[in-house]
Amino acid sequence: MSNECGCSSSLCASDVHEMVSAYYTELRGTSDLKTQACCSLEAPSAAVQDALSFVPRSVTDSFYGCGNPLPSGMRGLRCVVDLGCGTGRDVFSAAVMVGAGGRVVGVDMTDKQLNIARAAVGEFESIAAQRSRGVARVEFVKADIERISDEVPPEVLSPGCADVVISNCVVNLSSDKLAVLRQVHRLLRNGGEFHFSDVYSDRRLSAAAREHPVLLGECLGGALYENDFLRLAAAAGFVDARVLSRRPVPVAAAELPDLKHLLADAKFESVTYRLFKVANLEVGAAEDYGEHALYNGTVEGSLDAYQLDRSTVLPAHQRVRVCGNVALILRESWLAPHFRVDGDRAVHYGEFR
């Protein structure tokens, strides 16, 4: 059985950390993976494609991730943190998108991957200089993402320092997912966002699946039942989890001939979630306070319309009705400079439809 943190019942945290670290230390590149769970199959946005072109080959050859958790509009932010950064692909990409004057901090527990990331910093800076592009300062620190507050000095990562925290197929590798979410909430400033991609299952997996080193390393054994994830997110302070994208992750018997039976009939999806640290967000149904939002058309790469989530797309220069939670996010989060929101929440008109 799983406890409230989504941990296995017989493995301790150190066991999980050792198995995951050993698995990724032995991998030479994405070709060594047995499944597509840790591979990004989504076409990145034009802004992300541009940022990826700055990333050294040594980094991209060793990249593992199930999505592209790099939100548009980060230019000018002060601090972005990447949890489980690996060799640093998303750190370097975020540094291009944030631009000069900001900083991007990658956190990982695996020495081999951190060594590749640190060795690539000089080449990344040279590429940016050759293209006359100002980029954010990048840093890489070793720490367990469940224990950042204990293992990373406050002068590097202090409470409330981050505008955005990103993560790419890493939370599922943690033995204590609630602890990770609480660390994220602690790092984010008020109005900050956890923007991350991960693998989820349509049911709770067996202990045998959750404890197998290959299934853990392939981002399947640690995949949370999605409803359990939503409960953990709420317990950590994120009560309004918004889905930006999702895609199925097929697991063929031929990929895991000796292990597929441990997964039974479970189905998996790669989902990109947006969790905002905004006060007074409401749980449950969307509520109507008669509020409207106007998108200024100023997010780089999204000039015609801005997609907040799968069901909320805001066209530029058009005043549209929005529910109470969307109004709060657009008014009080790091996205606020790009929107004008009208309404004072004085009158409640019932459920938003």
Side-chain angles (χ1 to χ4, degrees):
M1 294 180 61
S2 297
N3 63 23
E4 67 172 355
C5 299
C7 311
S8 61
S9 56
S10 59
L11 288 179
C12 67
S14 61
D15 292 331
V16 174
H17 294 168
E18 288 177 10
M19 284 194 292
V20 170
S21 182
Y23 196 80
Y24 282 88
T25 295
E26 293 173 5
L27 293 178
R28 291 166 296 179
T30 53
S31 61
D32 290 339
L33 293 168
K34 294 176 172 55
T35 71
Q36 296 180 351
C38 296
C39 300
S40 177
L41 301 179
E42 297 177 350
S45 67
V48 173
Q49 287 180 334
D50 172 64
L52 287 171
S53 71
F54 287 74
V55 181
R57 180 69 180 272
S58 60
V59 170
T60 57
D61 283 348
S62 303
F63 165 72
Y64 315 103
C66 60
N68 295 295
L70 292 159
S72 299
M74 291 194 293
R75 187 161 304 282
L77 295 185
R78 295 168 298 176
C79 179
V80 173
V81 178
D82 182 5
L83 298 188
C85 65
T87 58
R89 189 202 78 157
D90 291 342
V91 171
F92 293 119
S93 299
V96 175
M97 297 174 72
V98 170
R103 59 193 287 256
V104 182
V105 182
V107 182
D108 204 274
M109 67 176 184
T110 307
D111 287 320
K112 178 182 176 182
Q113 298 196 64
L114 285 171
N115 289 339
I116 293 173
R118 289 167 176 152
V121 172
E123 183 180 353
F124 167 71
E125 292 175 343
S126 295
I127 293 171
Q130 290 168 8
R131 300 187 190 181
S132 301
R133 182 77 69 90
V135 297
R137 176 165 54 95
V138 298
E139 305 170 45
F140 294 97
V141 297
K142 182 178 180 180
D144 177 350
I145 61 173
E146 300 165 9
R147 297 174 52 82
I148 291 173
S149 56
D150 298 323
E151 298 182 358
V152 180
E155 59 267 25
V156 178
L157 291 176
S158 59
C161 69
D163 298 295
V164 172
V165 175
I166 60 176
S167 182
N168 201 339
C169 211
V170 170
V171 176
N172 77 85
L173 299 174
S174 167
S175 62
D176 189 346
K177 296 167 177 63
L178 179 57
V180 174
L181 291 168
R182 284 175 170 162
Q183 289 288 341
V184 172
H185 198 272
R186 171 185 171 274
L187 284 174
L188 288 173
R189 69 170 177 86
N190 292 331
E193 177 192 355
F194 187 25
H195 191 111
F196 71 112
S197 302
D198 222 308
V199 176
Y200 299 89
S201 59
D202 68 346
R203 66 199 67 192
R204 294 170 183 144
L205 302 177
S206 68
R210 297 197 309 272
E211 296 172 3
H212 197 284
V214 172
L215 294 181
L216 279 171
E218 291 288 323
C219 301
L220 297 172
L224 270 179
Y225 172 46
E226 201 162 355
N227 286 341
D228 285 341
F229 160 71
L230 294 174
R231 295 182 186 101
L232 293 179
F238 299 109
V239 300
D240 183 28
R242 296 187 166 265
V243 174
L244 181 61
S245 66
R246 65 168 69 239
R247 66 167 177 86
V249 176
V251 181
E255 294 175 320
L256 300 167
D258 301 322
L259 301 175
K260 183 67 168 64
H261 68 282
L262 295 179
L263 301 175
D265 294 322
K267 293 181 172 53
F268 299 87
E269 286 189 311
S270 170
V271 185
T272 298
Y273 267 104
R274 308 190 73 169
L275 308 182
F276 288 90
K277 185 178 178 180
V278 171
N280 301 316
L281 292 175
E282 297 182 286
V283 181
E287 305 297 339
D288 188 353
Y289 293 96
E291 293 166 293
H292 293 78
L294 186 145
Y295 169 47
N296 298 328
T298 50
V299 173
E300 190 174 5
S302 301
L303 301 182
D304 295 327
Y306 183 81
Q307 182 173 8
L308 181 66
D309 55 52
R310 290 183 87 194
S311 60
T312 308
V313 178
L314 299 128
H317 312 299
Q318 295 183 37
R319 187 171 176 267
V320 297
R321 292 177 61 245
V322 292
C323 72
N325 278 4
V326 169
L328 280 172
I329 289 169
L330 300 182
R331 181 185 288 123
E332 299 183 13
S333 78
W334 69 276
L335 295 169
H338 303 289
F339 294 89
R340 188 179 74 214
V341 181
D342 302 324
D344 58 10
R345 302 174 71 87
V347 178
H348 180 231
Y349 296 95
E351 185 175 342
F352 184 85
R353 300 182 188 282

